[in-house]
Amino acid sequence: MLNITDILETIGMIREENLDIRTITMGISLLDCVSEDENRVCEKVYDKITRTAKNLVSVGCDIEKKYGIPIVNKRVSVTPVSLIGGEMSPEGYLKLAHTLQRAAENLGINFIGGYSALVHKGMTQGEKNLISVIPEALAETQMVCSSVNVATTKAGINMDAIRMMGSAIKRAAYLTRDNNSIGCAKLVVFANVPEDNPFMAGAFHGVGEPDHVINVGVSGPGVVAAAIKRAGDCDLSELADVIKKTAFKITRVGQLVASEAAERLDTPFGIIDLSLAPTPAIGDSVAHILEEMGLESCGGCGTTAALAMLNDAVKKGGVMASSHVGGLSGAFIPVSEDAGMIAAVERGALTLEKLEAMTAVCSVGLDMIAIPGDVSEDVICGIIADEISIGVANTKTTAVRVIPAYGKKEGDAVSFGGLLGYAPVMSVKPYSPACFVARGGRIPAPIHSLKN
Amino acid sequence: MKAVITVTGKDSVGIIARVSAMCTEYNANIVDITQSVLSEYFAMIMLVEIGKLTIPFADFADKMADAGKACGLDIRAMHEDIFNTMHHI
């Protein structure tokens, strides 16, 4: 039987604490769209996506109304296009990006992910062709998101791929210089990428997945922060319990929405991604959770410990609430998308180095970080290699989404609007890793005994 | 199949009458009502049976929200499953 306290708690979470379903993402396999002819591939891709996901947006809106909870994004992820493009020319891959954009526009979705390649152990000519046109693809389209996996714990780190990505990021920044280098906000470099992630820009539909599938990403940093505030002066064991219980409730709503979306779209349910995904809105910040836990500022000493505890408690609470958990699952720390992170950078408390440490214990990695436009390709490769190494050594997903904002220097700011937010340009150490990066080749896979 | 209608805002004459009239108009049967007024702040929770609604539930929820906006109240109609799922294992 429903009781008033429970009802008011749920209403309060939605109205005051920004509880929402961040995304319903339909993963669609494009493996049946392979053809020798580039134009034929594009035709088949367009048809498959628009046919399979034709009801995604309307069903999402209907569920939103039924349960009275906002579903912020409806998205599509597809098979990494390098797997269906094969030896396609760079021009062919560019045409494919425009095809994905047209399909996204037809469906009315927010983003489409999967302009991707998995090159952790090496690259085919087709994958090289794809990566060579990623900057143009991101500059010429609005909704297409791209990701490249450059390392896994089992394969090691492909430094040649990192070099190509350093160059792609710089070029994407240049090509979108009139729009704050926004192209880089749609490009992620991964280690140990998950195949069922519903969050952009890194979403794609893995080869082990069914023909199509529904994955749902939940959110709710504001709800967790409010629960911690209400808990008052309690010890950390009790605090962990409060976070677990809150994560459980948030995830249950995600499971409800996912099950219903899967049923209505006659599509298998894949996973719930248990992530605390912030937005730039006030009261929807992961940094503010850490500060509510007792830190003077996010980025100060104690931040990594607090974040590790938060991340662990969210997972423990969430797994019991869902039949299948996957994706990235954890707390996201994108700087530009989190009002508390932005404030911490502006007050000088949060640096790139601290963010790197934080990524060792939470979801994803160096995310939505604006750096000066004159940072060299080599330094960007060094940033990527460092972050990717954390993922490879710790058998976890890490990623880099940095924006070398063209023409901007430390202390400036860039604004992307909407969920992508606003980012103060952060300082980067100028010392060059050029000789290390230029060696190329692969960093061997780490040993997983003799752990220290 | 039931829905929960919550009405919150500044107290005024005829709030329950207005919401009840809309329930009648769209054939939502009121099963239970709880309401309280705390320092001029009005909160009402209404449980309604929606199996025989004359319009789709999404439209019913929209009409309730619009009616709320017109008189400065927050009116939400939500399927009961969201509360059951969140608070009961």
Side-chain angles (χ1 to χ4, degrees):
Chain A
M1 185 59 207
L2 293 170
N3 79 52
I4 296 172
T5 319
D6 291 345
I7 291 173
L8 291 178
E9 184 187 352
T10 304
I11 302 274
M13 284 180 181
I14 296 169
R15 201 171 62 178
E16 327 284 345
E17 298 161 7
N18 297 312
L19 174 64
D20 58 44
I21 300 296
R22 184 51 46 82
T23 178
I24 298 183
T25 304
M26 180 182 269
I28 302 173
S29 169
L30 298 182
L31 291 172
D32 50 359
C33 299
V34 174
S35 168
E36 281 180 6
D37 176 44
E38 292 176 356
N39 292 325
R40 184 75 191 115
V41 173
C42 292
E43 267 171 43
K44 285 167 110 176
V45 164
Y46 182 83
D47 289 347
K48 174 93 190 258
I49 296 171
T50 50
R51 188 177 67 244
T52 314
K54 69 173 188 293
N55 294 326
L56 177 64
V57 172
S58 61
V59 164
C61 293
D62 217 37
I63 296 175
E64 193 171 30
K65 295 266 173 61
K66 179 173 177 184
Y67 295 115
I69 184 163
I71 299 173
V72 182
N73 285 292
K74 291 94 187 169
R75 299 164 170 170
V76 165
S77 63
V78 297
T79 307
V81 294
S82 70
L83 297 178
I84 60 152
E87 301 290 282
M88 226 185 215
S89 65
E91 296 73 29
Y93 275 113
L94 204 49
K95 213 181 281 176
L96 199 47
H98 285 280
T99 303
L100 295 177
Q101 170 72 20
R102 274 195 300 120
E105 284 170 9
N106 173 297
L107 293 171
I109 55 174
N110 309 92
F111 280 115
I112 184 161
Y115 199 70
S116 306
L118 310 173
V119 295
H120 35 271
K121 210 165 181 184
M123 284 177 276
T124 63
Q125 187 54 47
E127 283 157 346
K128 285 180 187 163
N129 292 349
L130 169 73
I131 293 173
S132 73
V133 294
I134 286 176
E136 281 75 11
L138 297 177
E140 292 170 20
T141 62
Q142 292 77 49
M143 298 172 201
V144 176
C145 292
S146 177
S147 57
V148 175
N149 192 57
V150 296
T152 65
T153 298
K154 288 199 166 166
I157 302 172
N158 184 348
M159 191 59 91
D160 295 324
I162 289 180
R163 284 166 71 194
M164 286 191 77
M165 292 316 295
S167 156
I169 288 170
K170 281 289 277 189
R171 190 160 163 71
Y174 175 75
L175 293 177
T176 51
R177 62 191 178 283
D178 294 336
N179 202 2
N180 287 321
S181 299
I182 199 169
C184 302
K186 299 180 284 176
L187 175 58
V188 194
V189 186
F190 270 109
N192 293 323
V193 68
E195 301 208 339
D196 51 8
N197 158 31
F199 285 103
M200 296 295 171
F204 68 84
H205 185 74
V207 286
E209 299 282 314
D211 184 71
H212 51 291
V213 70
I214 286 291
N215 299 321
V216 166
V218 296
S219 183
V223 182
V224 175
I228 293 173
K229 191 171 193 171
R230 278 193 298 273
D233 185 20
C234 62
D235 76 12
L236 292 173
S237 305
E238 290 171 59
L239 201 59
D241 260 353
V242 169
I243 299 169
K244 279 195 289 189
K245 284 176 187 159
T246 311
F248 177 84
K249 289 177 183 174
I250 295 171
T251 311
R252 289 278 283 180
V253 178
Q255 175 76 25
L256 174 71
V257 168
S259 312
E260 177 133 0
E263 193 186 321
R264 288 203 197 188
L265 292 164
D266 194 20
T267 298
F269 159 62
I271 55 99
I272 298 285
D273 192 318
L274 299 176
S275 289
L276 288 182
T279 69
I282 299 297
D284 208 16
S285 154
V286 170
H288 286 156
I289 299 179
L290 303 176
E291 289 163 8
E292 204 61 67
M293 287 169 81
L295 302 176
E296 184 182 355
S297 171
C298 174
C301 297
T303 301
T304 312
L307 182 59
M309 176 185 148
L310 171 68
N311 204 47
D312 183 65
V314 166
K315 286 181 196 173
K316 285 174 177 163
V319 284
M320 193 184 153
S322 172
S323 48
H324 298 284
V325 171
L328 298 166
S329 285
F332 291 169
I333 51 169
V335 174
S336 76
E337 300 173 6
D338 186 313
M341 295 285 174
I342 294 167
V345 172
E346 284 175 337
R347 74 170 73 96
L350 184 59
T351 61
L352 195 60
E353 290 72 22
K354 188 62 182 177
L355 278 162
E356 190 181 301
M358 290 159 74
T359 65
V361 298
C362 81
S363 192
V364 198
L366 295 173
D367 197 15
M368 289 303 285
I369 294 170
I371 56 175
D374 60 2
V375 170
S376 73
E377 242 174 75
D378 293 323
V379 170
I380 292 176
C381 292
I383 293 173
I384 297 173
D386 283 347
E387 182 58 31
I388 290 317
S389 300
I390 290 175
V392 169
N394 293 301
T395 325
K396 75 183 284 292
T397 304
T398 51
V400 175
R401 182 163 53 150
V402 289
I403 300 119
Y406 189 83
K408 305 277 183 186
K409 53 186 191 308
E410 188 188 339
D412 291 346
V414 284
S415 177
F416 306 111
L419 284 182
L420 296 174
Y422 143 89
V425 177
M426 297 177 75
S427 84
V428 177
K429 292 208 175 99
Y431 308 104
S432 174
C435 294
F436 176 68
V437 172
R439 288 175 188 271
R442 279 192 290 142
I443 298 180
I447 190 162
H448 271 261
S449 59
L450 311 174
K451 280 256 185 189
N452 260 314
Chain B
M1 202 165 43
K2 295 191 185 73
V4 174
I5 300 173
T6 54
V7 185
T8 47
K10 201 168 178 309
D11 193 21
S12 64
V13 175
I15 297 178
I16 296 185
R18 227 171 295 158
V19 176
S20 307
M22 288 184 70
C23 289
T24 312
E25 186 180 349
Y26 300 112
N27 204 31
N29 185 33
I30 300 169
V31 181
D32 195 6
I33 301 184
T34 316
Q35 66 118 32
S36 64
V37 181
L38 202 67
S39 57
E40 293 191 353
Y41 189 74
F42 179 87
M44 176 180 78
I45 295 169
M46 196 181 252
L47 192 64
V48 297
E49 173 62 50
I50 51 169
K52 291 178 182 164
L53 270 189
T54 52
I55 54 173
F57 181 71
D59 296 346
F60 179 71
D62 276 346
K63 286 189 185 294
M64 283 289 174
D66 291 345
K69 274 181 208 145
C71 54
L73 293 166
D74 184 64
I75 306 186
R76 291 164 193 252
M78 297 154 75
H79 195 282
E80 64 167 343
D81 280 355
I82 187 166
F83 305 103
N84 288 330
T85 310
M86 192 184 262
H87 300 286
H88 299 279
I89 298 179

